Amino acid sequence: MTPLKIDFVSDIACPWCAVGLGGLEQALERLQGEVQAELHFQPFELNPHMPPGGQDLGEHLTEKYGSTPEQQAQIRQTITERGAEVGFVFNPNGRGRVYNTFDAHRLLHWAEGQGDGAQHALKKALLQAYQGRAECVEDPQVLLASVAAAGLDVSAANAVLQSDAHTAEVRERQQFYTQAGIRSVPAVIINDKHLISGGQPVEVFEQALRRIALGEAG
């Protein structure tokens, strides 16, 4: 099997990241026996200056992108349909508010050192909390519930939240990917040199990964 190091640069505030992760996971299932994937989740904040309490989602999207409520509803419908294709169920009423996700990124960095599959499990639990249930992901209790859902040590995670642990490391990684030219997410980087951008369909991920694997093996 061809080894592939996959850096999934994303933010749990991004619904397309949930779609992209689902598409990548299904593509890797199709490629079982062909590639051996090592998956890492890297931080990217869409709204690094979001204050405590967050902001109403519709208001935020209008301010940031100039979109109308009708356009937002259409995009939400599209995202809902794309999510269903990869098995992700979005909250039918949307997220409600946009929150700061830095503490979530600190926990994800911590989870990377908690054993094989731990970071992946926490990423999925956090996406379910925010995108699936519209929970307040700046609330420590919501974050710790996601840690528990991922089967990780809640006491250790709480210690992270009660300190500034992993703050410098997350900032450093964010800066690295920004300086590398990443401006939107999800950005899926294979073996530090191949980029697949956006919440692509399963087939696009499958074809791209197979082509990269053949090139790496050849």
Side-chain angles (χ1 to χ4, degrees), residues 50-73:
M50 185 61 63
Q55 183 182 20
D56 175 78
L57 176 62
E59 177 184 284
H60 174 76
L61 293 174
T62 297
E63 285 184 8
K64 190 170 185 178
Y65 303 109
S67 58
T68 66
E70 292 76 19
Q71 290 170 327
Q72 293 166 20

Side-chain angles (χ1 to χ4, degrees), residues 5-161:
K5 173 177 174 280
I6 302 177
D7 289 295
F8 193 89
V9 186
S10 63
D11 191 356
I12 61 167
C14 163
W16 286 108
C17 293
V19 173
L21 179 56
L24 175 63
E25 289 171 334
Q26 290 193 9
L28 289 173
E29 286 179 11
R30 295 182 183 183
L31 292 170
Q32 281 187 356
E34 298 179 50
V35 304
Q36 184 173 9
E38 178 187 309
L39 189 55
H40 302 273
F41 292 91
Q42 306 292 0
F44 186 100
E45 287 180 274
L46 288 173
N47 307 292
H49 305 298
M50 185 61 63
Q55 183 182 20
D56 175 78
L57 176 62
E59 177 184 284
H60 174 76
L61 293 174
T62 297
E63 285 184 8
K64 190 170 185 178
Y65 303 109
S67 58
T68 66
E70 292 76 19
Q71 290 170 327
Q72 293 166 20
Q74 180 57 56
I75 292 169
R76 186 163 63 244
Q77 178 62 30
T78 299
I79 291 172
T80 297
E81 292 171 357
R82 289 291 309 280
E85 292 173 2
V86 294
F88 191 92
V89 180
F90 285 95
N91 186 329
N93 298 316
R95 286 164 285 159
R97 296 186 72 78
V98 178
Y99 297 104
N100 189 290
T101 58
F102 189 72
D103 278 345
H105 286 300
R106 289 201 298 131
L107 286 178
L108 284 164
H109 189 276
W110 161 78
E112 191 172 26
Q114 300 306 303
D116 189 38
Q119 192 188 36
H120 192 172
L122 181 57
K123 180 73 169 186
K124 295 187 71 163
L126 288 167
L127 285 169
Q128 287 289 347
Y130 195 11
Q131 303 291 342
R133 298 190 298 273
E135 294 175 354
C136 174
V137 288
E138 68 180 34
D139 183 339
Q141 294 309 310
V142 171
L143 294 171
L144 293 176
S146 296
V147 169
L152 303 180
D153 187 330
V154 174
S155 295
N158 189 45
V160 171
L161 292 178

